[in-house]
């Protein structure tokens, strides 16, 4: 397996624009996690899914953030409208159960100017 | 509430010296504990994990950690570090049963100097 695949690796956008981050989990994994990493706040869990269903979205910072998982092999994290304070590295991770190791993607470095 | 605390934000050490990165967790139930490593501009990679059984866990790259239930700790150790061990290290924990999320510590930056 190629591991967790995220795209794009880098995204630069202007404030107010919509941004969509994509993730393909490892085949057979039924948990998917979205994390955000910043210098100030470290690694924060935004939302996670089990069998494509959102289980806990309490970490989603604002209504501007939304996440979907239309099928077992694809998830998106959308920010609309984007703001400079959304600049961070966003990681997607997947696992076969919630309490075993999570495999991380390479991350998407988002810069909002 | 469940939490994971990494006691040191930065740990400088000389090459070939031993190192210990400290991690404490807060939970009243059975836990799962992990150490991850993050190299610059990379995702997180699993070093080792404790799920149950032996409290001394060996991982990749010569690292090991000991689960200590009485002290609620899961410190990471390596007897002799290399320059290539310079990275950010994250301790993470989860609570067994049901839908529970993995909580990460703030991270410890290990800087190995020649």
């Amino acid at each position: 397996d190629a591991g967790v695949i995220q795209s794009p690796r880098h995204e630069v956008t202007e404030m107010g624009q919509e941004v969509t981050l994509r993730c393909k989990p490892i085949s057979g994994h039924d948990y998917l996690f979205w994390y955000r990493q910043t210098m100030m706040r470290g690694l924060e869990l935004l939302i996670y899914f089990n069998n494509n269903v959102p289980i806990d979205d309490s970490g989603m910072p604002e209504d501007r953030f939304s996440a979907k998982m239309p099928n077992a092999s694809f998830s998106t994290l959308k920010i609309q409208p984007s703001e400079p304070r959304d600049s961070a590295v966003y990681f997607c991770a997947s696992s076969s159960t919630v309490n075993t190791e999570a495999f991380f993607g390479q991350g998407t470095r988002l810069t909002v100017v | 509430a469940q939490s994971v605390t990494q006691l040191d934000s930065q740990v400088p050490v000389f090459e070939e010296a031993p190192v210990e990165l400290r991690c404490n967790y807060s939970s009243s139930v059975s836990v799962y504990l992990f150490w991850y490593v993050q190299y610059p501009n990379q995702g997180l990679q699993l070093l080792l994990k404790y799920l149950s059984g032996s409290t001394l866990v060996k991982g990749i790259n010569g690292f090991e950690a000991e689960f200590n239930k009485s002290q609620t700790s899961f410190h990471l150790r390596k007897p002799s570090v290399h320059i290539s061990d310079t990275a950010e290290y994250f301790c993470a924990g989860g609570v067994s049963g049901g839908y529970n999320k993995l909580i990460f510590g703030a991270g410890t930056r290990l800087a190995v100097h020649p």
Side-chain angles (χ1 to χ4, degrees), chain A residues 39-100:
Chain A
M39 289 292 292
M40 292 296 294
R41 300 175 68 90
L43 200 60
E44 305 171 275
L45 176 65
L46 300 177
I47 184 172
Y48 77 93
F49 295 83
N50 175 228
N51 292 324
N52 314 337
V53 176
I55 301 301
D56 185 345
D57 65 354
S58 60
M60 297 285 262
E62 299 172 35
D63 291 345
R64 298 184 295 106
F65 286 70
S66 62
K68 294 181 180 180
M69 192 165 185
N71 57 62
S73 59
F74 184 66
S75 177
T76 60
L77 178 67
K78 184 178 294 185
I79 308 172
Q80 166 63 17
S82 59
E83 297 183 3
R85 60 196 170 112
D86 302 330
S87 297
V89 180
Y90 291 81
F91 287 103
C92 176
S94 70
S95 69
S96 57
T97 70
V98 72
N99 287 322
T100 60

Side-chain angles (χ1 to χ4, degrees), chain B residues 73-94:
Chain B
S73 68
F74 190 57
H75 300 333
L76 181 71
R77 302 184 182 98
K78 186 171 182 177
S80 176
V81 295
H82 302 288
I83 295 288
S84 59
D85 292 322
T86 295
E88 187 94 17
Y89 291 80
F90 292 92
C91 181

Side-chain angles (χ1 to χ4, degrees), chain A residues 37 50 56 98-99 101-102, chain B residues 36 38 46 49 95 100-101:
Chain A
Q37 186 178 39
N50 175 228
D56 185 345
V98 72
N99 287 322
E101 64 191 273
Chain B
Y36 284 83
Q38 184 181 29
L46 183 72
K49 60 186 175 184
V95 178
N100 291 292
K101 52 193 178 187

Side-chain angles (χ1 to χ4, degrees), chain B residues 45-61:
Chain B
Q45 177 185 357
L46 183 72
L47 271 179
L48 48 81
K49 60 186 175 184
Y50 171 78
L51 302 180
S52 65
S54 174
T55 56
L56 183 62
V57 181
K58 292 189 183 297
I60 62 171
N61 300 341

